[in-house]
Structures are given as C-alpha cells and as structure tokens.
Amino acid sequence: MSARENREFDVIVYGASGFTGRLVAEYLQTAYGQGDDAPKWAVAARSAEKMTAVLAEMGLPADTPVIVADADEPETIADMAKRTRVVLTTVGPYQLYGEPLVAACAEHGTNYVDLCGEPAWMRQMIDKYDAAAKASGARIVFSTGFDSIPFDLGVLMLQKECVARFGKPAPRIKGRVRAMQGTFSGGTAASLKATMAAAAKDPAVLGYLVNPFSLANGFEGPAQPKGNKPEHDDALGSWAAPFIMAPINTKNVHRTNALLGHAYGQDFVYDEMMLTGPGEKGEAIAKHLATTDMMGGEGGPKPGEGPSKEERENGFYDVLFIAEMPDGEMQKYGVKGDKDPGYGSTSKMIAESALCLVQDVPEGAGGITTPGAVLGEHLVKRLVARAGLSFAAE
C-alpha cells in the first residue's frame, strides 16, 4: 500500500463554492454520497463560512468535511494536498491561481485534475514540475472537462478501432463537432482573456499558442491544418467553421500521442472544426461563426456564473471523428454527451476523472500527463456507465 492510500480523503474538491465546483460537489453527493462504501470526499474553499453556507444552500449534508485553502497562502494549499489522494480543482484561470497547487501536488505525490484550457501555462508547468511529479509519483492531469476529454479519448478509441480493423493507426484524423447546445463557462472566457494578456507581455506565450506541438515534449511533427477559416469538407458534404476549443484540444491530443510513445505515429495529422451543414446555408453559417465571438463578448458568463439547471439539462454535444487511411479506407467514431458541454457534462467528467485515478488506474509512474495517456479506457468505461457519454464506432 502506498502512502497515498492511507490519506484522510480520496478526493478534495477545491473551489467548491464556485459555480462549477458546486456542480461537482452536487454530482459526487448524488452519484456516490458519503458513507462506508462511498469515496471519502471533502470540499475546500477560501472561506469555511461561505462554503458551509453554500452546502446548506445546495442541500448537501451539513457534515460534509470543509477544508480552508487559499492560493494566496501556499501553506494552506500544501496542507490540503497532503490530506488527499486527489485534488480536483475548479479554481481558474489557472495561470493566475493554479501554480501553488500544482507545485504542492508534485512535491507531495498527490494526484491532480483540473479544467485547464490554457496551453501556455500548461507548458510552463510541465517545464517546472514534471520532474518533481515523476519523482513523487503524482499524476497531474490537466484538461479533464469538455476540453479535452471527448476529443482526447475520442481519438484514442478511434485509433484502437483502426489498429483492430486495419492493423495500424490512422495517420490522419479529423475531429468534427456535428451538433452542440450549451454555453462555454465563464471560467473558460476568463482563461482566454488571461492568456491573451499574457501573450501580449511575453512573446514565448504566443509561440506556445500557435505551435500545435507545444505540449509534445519537444517533438515537432508534420504541418497541421490551421482550421482558422471556413472550408467545405468534400468527404462529408458539409461546410465547416473554426472551433474555439481546437487550439487546446489538438495540443492535448498531440501530447497524448507523445506520452504513448507515438502510438498514433510520428506523421500523425489532426484538426478540429464545427460542421455547419451543406449548401449556401451551411456556408453562411460557417462564415458567421468564423466572425462571431463564441465566448459571448462582454455579455457572456463571468467566472462563477452559468446557465440554469434547465439549460444544463437541455444541452448536449455530438462529435464525429473520421480516420483516413493511406489507401483511402475510412473509419468513423462518435462521442456524445447528454448535458451542456461547459457545465453539466464537464462537472461529471472531472469528478469521474478524479475517481478514476483513485479507484481504477494502477499505481505507477507519475508526471504531468493527459486524460488519454493515463486514464484512457478506464475513464471511457466510467463515463459511459455513469456520466451520460457514449463512445461508439460508426
């Protein structure tokens, strides 16, 4: 038994008084509860008083353990990290508040999951803390929400299908969002603004953003499609528009490939776009989306805000992946979610990622990793069984 297995908690939800953190805590209570057979979980926030009030407001048990942790007081962050097997953090933008927690988890051998979609900060954390995480056995897993789980795991599962059917991985995969209803989170919008501000100050940040291989451990692969303007996809008979999550998702997919010893090949090409339909109407929609602020501009959600329960329940997403083989053969694969991507589905995905690290993934090498590289099919099974996702060859 490792020292981690003797810890007081399996999971601590850090940021549980915020909008997304509340949804995670609500999900853990509804899906797992507290008790002898349940995972041992706690909530953490800067203010115990506020957190206790939030628990009451949400109707969660008054005896849910509450831990005080504040990014401005690194000793409270370290104390939290020492008490649990996994920290699940929704406190972003991560480039403003996340480093003390990554540092503490890497030092103390504590597993970590977040919702980060900030590639420049992720690259900086890899450079600074990957060695420490490897030494301590901590698995630091960024991007365990809508960015980038459906995409990272969708590619992983499609490549498994290609190896089974064709005897080798596909050198080219296209990720295409077929349908989606729901908003991006206020945290995602705030992260994008913080990233743009950081890029204005530091040219290296811009380099990390434009290089598709900036998270691939120094590997530089073949030229990748830019996906930054509308185009007609002849194979699918549909117009396609730029997809706002592509810059982070594609980097995570390439990092997974690198961490798996280039299981998809060193010549792997991958991009993501949104399908808008055929004909003049599809073209018009694609052109409109290409020039629209998908984050909602100044009127969009702020961190801590989000859609109503009804809006979350009515949301969904449907992503198609197409593998193209050198001889012209194709294989399609679909990933679907039954709640809005930014909140309803994301809160379930990050919770199941944390529990997957505790309950399913064998102890092994640490490091800063990806959902595809360390959680893989273990997580796919959990998401299908519990979180309203489907993964299937088409």
Side-chain angles (χ1 to χ4, degrees), residues 68-82 100 104 108:
V68 175
D70 187 339
D72 292 333
E73 297 174 23
E75 66 280 4
T76 64
I77 297 292
D79 287 343
M80 172 175 68
K82 291 177 196 172
H108 298 293

Side-chain angles (χ1 to χ4, degrees), residues 96-339:
L96 302 183
Y97 308 113
E99 184 169 353
L101 181 54
V102 171
C105 288
E107 180 183 348
H108 298 293
T110 304
N111 295 322
Y112 165 108
V113 294
D114 73 12
L115 299 174
C116 189
E118 303 162 46
W121 179 79
M122 291 159 62
R123 169 61 186 269
Q124 291 160 352
M125 294 304 97
I126 291 164
D127 291 347
K128 284 176 86 168
Y129 299 109
D130 187 45
K134 283 177 174 162
S136 71
R139 273 82 171 262
I140 311 281
V141 192
F142 297 138
S143 311
T144 63
F146 183 62
D147 50 335
S148 294
I149 278 178
F151 305 90
D152 193 14
L153 295 184
V155 171
L156 181 85
M157 297 305 287
L158 174 51
Q159 289 290 32
K160 185 179 181 227
E161 199 73 29
C162 288
V163 170
R165 185 177 160 194
F166 305 121
K168 58 189 176 185
R172 172 75 172 111
I173 288 181
K174 298 190 288 195
R176 297 293 181 262
V177 179
R178 278 190 287 213
M180 185 169 74
Q181 182 169 310
T183 54
F184 296 106
S185 74
T188 297
S191 296
L192 193 62
K193 285 179 185 168
T195 297
M196 291 301 112
K201 288 184 203 162
D202 181 358
V205 168
L206 194 58
Y208 296 147
L209 296 178
V210 299
N211 179 3
F213 298 99
S214 58
L215 304 182
N217 289 351
F219 174 75
E220 294 289 339
Q224 303 288 314
K226 291 202 166 31
N228 58 0
K229 57 187 180 188
E231 63 179 54
H232 190 266
D233 190 319
D234 296 338
L236 295 173
S238 173
W239 280 86
F243 177 46
I244 196 166
M245 305 308 242
I248 180 60
N249 291 336
T250 53
K251 290 175 181 61
N252 276 322
V253 166
H254 286 302
R255 179 162 176 77
T256 293
N257 187 29
L259 291 170
L260 295 175
H262 293 104
Y264 309 161
Q266 297 205 355
D267 58 348
F268 180 60
V269 176
Y270 175 69
D271 72 327
E272 292 175 1
M273 298 190 81
M274 292 183 70
L275 296 179
T276 57
E280 289 180 9
K281 185 180 177 186
E283 183 179 9
I285 295 169
K287 287 179 175 173
H288 171 72
L289 290 176
T291 55
T292 301
D293 182 354
M294 296 298 289
M295 289 297 179
E298 290 304 312
K302 304 290 183 286
E305 297 177 354
S308 67
K309 182 168 187 187
E310 185 182 5
E311 288 170 318
R312 296 195 306 272
E313 296 287 331
N314 290 334
F316 62 88
Y317 52 92
D318 175 358
V319 186
L320 172 68
F321 298 90
I322 307 104
E324 297 177 348
M325 302 304 288
D327 61 2
E329 289 266 36
M330 285 172 69
Q331 175 65 54
K332 294 180 179 178
Y333 199 90
V335 178
K336 300 175 185 179
D338 69 346
K339 298 282 184 289

Side-chain angles (χ1 to χ4, degrees), residues 17 44-57 66-68:
S17 60
R46 282 181 296 185
S47 161
E49 195 178 352
K50 182 183 177 187
M51 190 66 248
T52 304
V54 166
L55 288 173
E57 195 183 302
V66 174
I67 289 154
V68 175

